[in-house]
Amino acid sequence: MEFLDWEPVYELILDDLGYPREGDERARDVMAAYARPFDMDRVDCTGKRVAVVGAAPSLPSEVDAVADADVVFTASTATDVVRNAGYEVDLMVTDLDKNPETARRRTQNGTPVAAHAHGDNIPAIREWLPRFDAAHVLATTQAAPVENVANYGGFTDGDRAAFLADAFGAAELQFVGWEFDDPSVDAEKARKLRWAERLLYLLERRRDDRFAILDGRRESIDPLVP
């Protein structure tokens, strides 16, 4: 997704959640100081079925579904659940807020991590990025991209993983471990889940696709753009 297409949606998110754009831009610039060129061929999904794995409480009971996928992209702590179940993870997507040690180990072991910069994780970027192997980090932002820090669209770790898979050529997206109505989250996280739902609906329409996790929900989703 080009930034010019993403920017109007991004501005809606900022307005709704009350986040300052300047904070995202500062975080992006801090990330840029650690970022290095990333070989995108390593995450090529052309023609493949990609499991986009969320970190909902239901994941342990659903995790075996990833066996049907060609490629596995995981959001944050879903990485640990998938690995503990014996499955490989091709890309961990994280904003460093829950299990940064997992991300550090993965880069040190030579496996890719999409590390995200946003307004309130600058301390985590400064703490963890120097400890990562930069050759295995795909640095991302939700603000305008800069050299070595990309923006493929998406907001939460989960929906950002879906946008990444789409950008990398996925033929099919399979969603595992997702709960838009997760009762265990606080009010702010619940609002973010609403945005994840809206963004996946946007991605679904852009792909001319039908995501099963949106079945029965589409009529109540604000489409964001015509």
Side-chain angles (χ1 to χ4, degrees):
M1 183 180 235
E2 297 294 332
F3 184 69
L4 286 177
D5 297 322
W6 167 250
E7 188 173 24
V9 178
Y10 172 50
E11 290 178 343
L12 289 173
I13 294 171
L14 294 178
D15 288 345
D16 182 54
L17 296 176
Y19 296 158
R21 183 168 181 154
E22 294 78 10
D24 288 338
E25 292 168 345
R26 283 194 299 272
R28 173 203 62 199
D29 294 343
V30 172
M31 179 78 81
Y34 302 106
R36 299 293 180 269
F38 181 83
D39 180 6
M40 304 308 297
D41 288 341
R42 299 179 61 194
V43 286
D44 181 28
C45 301
T46 303
K48 296 179 180 179
R49 185 181 195 185
V50 180
V52 180
V53 187
S58 62
L59 176 59
S61 66
E62 301 175 21
V63 67
D64 289 338
V66 305
D68 296 331
D70 303 307
V71 176
V72 178
F73 284 9
T74 53
S76 185
T77 56
T79 308
D80 300 311
V81 177
V82 172
R83 293 290 295 120
N84 290 341
Y87 299 103
E88 294 299 322
V89 171
D90 297 284
L91 182 68
M92 176 184 181
V93 181
T94 177
D95 64 0
L96 311 173
D97 71 337
K98 292 188 177 70
N99 57 341
E101 177 59 30
T102 295
R104 185 198 67 80
R105 287 197 304 269
R106 289 186 63 79
T107 67
Q108 293 293 335
N109 292 335
T111 50
V113 170
H116 190 67
H118 59 72
D120 61 1
N121 76 339
I122 290 175
I125 294 170
R126 287 178 169 152
E127 177 181 359
W128 288 98
L129 263 293
R131 301 163 65 182
F132 287 12
D133 185 332
H136 307 294
V137 175
L138 169 58
T140 65
T141 178
Q142 56 207 33
V146 297
E147 185 177 10
N148 296 329
V149 184
N151 185 337
Y152 294 97
F155 181 63
T156 72
D157 289 339
D159 63 80
R160 197 163 59 253
F163 275 80
L164 286 163
D166 173 72
F168 302 154
E172 182 180 351
L173 301 183
Q174 172 192 5
F175 293 88
V176 180
W178 284 71
E179 291 180 40
F180 294 118
D181 302 316
D182 183 352
S184 68
V185 302
D186 61 23
E188 182 177 21
K189 179 61 176 178
R191 291 176 73 185
K192 290 180 179 179
L193 287 173
R194 296 283 75 73
W195 273 105
E197 181 181 58
R198 295 172 80 186
L199 290 169
L200 290 184
Y201 186 41
L202 172 65
L203 181 62
E204 177 187 74
R205 295 171 70 202
R206 286 173 54 87
R207 288 174 60 88
D208 192 23
D209 203 344
R210 299 281 287 185
F211 301 155
I213 55 165
L214 297 181
D215 289 351
R217 308 182 69 92
R218 292 181 183 86
E219 290 185 359
S220 63
I221 302 173
D222 182 341
L224 292 171
V225 294

